[in-house]
Amino acid sequence: MLEYLVVKTDPTAPTLIILHGFGADEYDLISVAKAFPPLNIISLRAPIELPWGGYAWYQLEQTPEGLRGDEVTRLQADQLLTLAIPEVLRAEQLDPSNIILLGFSQGSAMSYDIVSNPQDGITIKAVVILSGYIPAKTKELLLQQNLHDLPFFISHGEDDDLISLSALDEAKEVLLQAKAEVTANKYPIGHSISDEVLSDLSRWFSEHHV
């Protein structure tokens, strides 16, 4: 079982599952939840402990083209999440049919993995992708899905020096082909989450009545 932080409000309310970014932990994105009305929150800690502190979902490799995610450790993390999410929901007695996914950076890649490989009994009602990208193999799986108007909110910084801004346009194209409903916004920030992002996210949530 992965380590996690849980905040409970109402067992009938949606549960926000948070997947943090590289070098962070389960406490990192709790403040982002202020963009939503009261929800149950499960923030999962990634499995790889980094020597300088924090955690990662998968290792990064330096290549001539820049940093690249290691496929072996990413798939291992994907398998862990496949087991951990239903386990945690059962342990905390939270409704598996009313789930919102939120991922930042590496956590966004893991969120796309979860959407591309639907689990029996788990129903995702909305997905929030912050400064992320779709891994190449996950893209192929998503294009085989019919996401039936599943709403996505995607944000990316125009000055992001870790993940190319083109990742937003690529993700939007893939998700629209899979028939998802996509709100994709670019912001004058780097690899981060600004107050403007949170304001737009709050408005998006209200409009979609998730």
Side-chain angles (χ1 to χ4, degrees):
M1 171 93 71
L2 293 172
E3 296 291 327
Y4 64 93
L5 175 67
V6 62
V7 178
K8 291 184 182 180
T9 56
D10 176 350
T12 65
T15 295
L16 179 67
I17 294 179
I18 298 177
L19 305 177
H20 64 76
F22 184 87
D25 62 22
E26 67 271 29
Y27 294 92
D28 185 57
L29 295 173
I30 292 298
S31 61
V32 175
K34 69 183 182 183
F36 297 93
L39 298 171
N40 302 300
I41 299 169
I42 293 172
S43 185
L44 292 157
R45 180 196 296 175
I48 300 172
E49 186 170 4
L50 300 172
W52 53 85
Y55 298 84
W57 293 102
Y58 49 88
Q59 301 286 3
L60 296 176
E61 302 172 316
Q62 186 65 52
T63 72
E65 293 77 33
L67 287 173
R68 181 179 64 188
D70 171 58
E71 280 294 297
V72 173
T73 50
R74 187 180 65 79
L75 292 175
Q76 288 172 346
D78 187 37
Q79 292 170 357
L80 285 173
L81 282 171
T82 299
L83 296 172
I85 289 174
E87 265 189 40
V88 172
L89 291 170
R90 280 194 300 269
E92 300 298 338
Q93 298 182 320
L94 294 171
D95 183 3
S97 68
N98 200 2
I99 301 300
I100 302 167
L101 278 180
L102 185 151
F104 175 78
S105 195
Q106 273 199 353
S108 289
M110 302 312 301
S111 298
Y112 283 127
D113 280 345
I114 292 168
V115 174
S116 73
N117 185 26
Q119 298 180 47
D120 290 339
I122 305 291
T123 303
I124 298 169
K125 296 294 186 66
V127 184
V128 178
I129 299 294
L130 307 174
S131 300
Y133 71 100
I134 303 178
K137 292 184 178 179
T138 305
K139 185 197 312 181
E140 297 169 10
L141 294 173
L142 283 171
L143 287 170
Q144 297 170 22
Q145 299 288 328
N146 185 338
L147 298 179
H148 305 291
D149 298 321
L150 178 66
F152 281 75
F153 177 95
I154 308 176
S155 75
H156 211 101
E158 295 171 338
D159 302 317
D160 192 327
D161 58 356
L162 294 180
I163 298 176
S164 170
L165 180 60
S166 64
L168 179 143
D169 295 321
E170 180 181 53
K172 182 177 179 181
E173 181 181 345
V174 169
L175 293 171
L176 288 175
Q177 286 187 52
K179 304 190 186 316
E181 179 188 335
V182 184
T183 299
N185 297 331
K186 302 173 184 178
Y187 298 88
I189 56 175
H191 194 68
S192 61
I193 304 166
S194 67
D195 288 341
E196 185 182 5
V197 173
L198 295 180
S199 177
D200 287 347
L201 179 55
S202 178
R203 187 179 308 110
W204 173 84
F205 189 97
S206 298
E207 290 171 353
H208 287 80
H209 306 290
V210 179

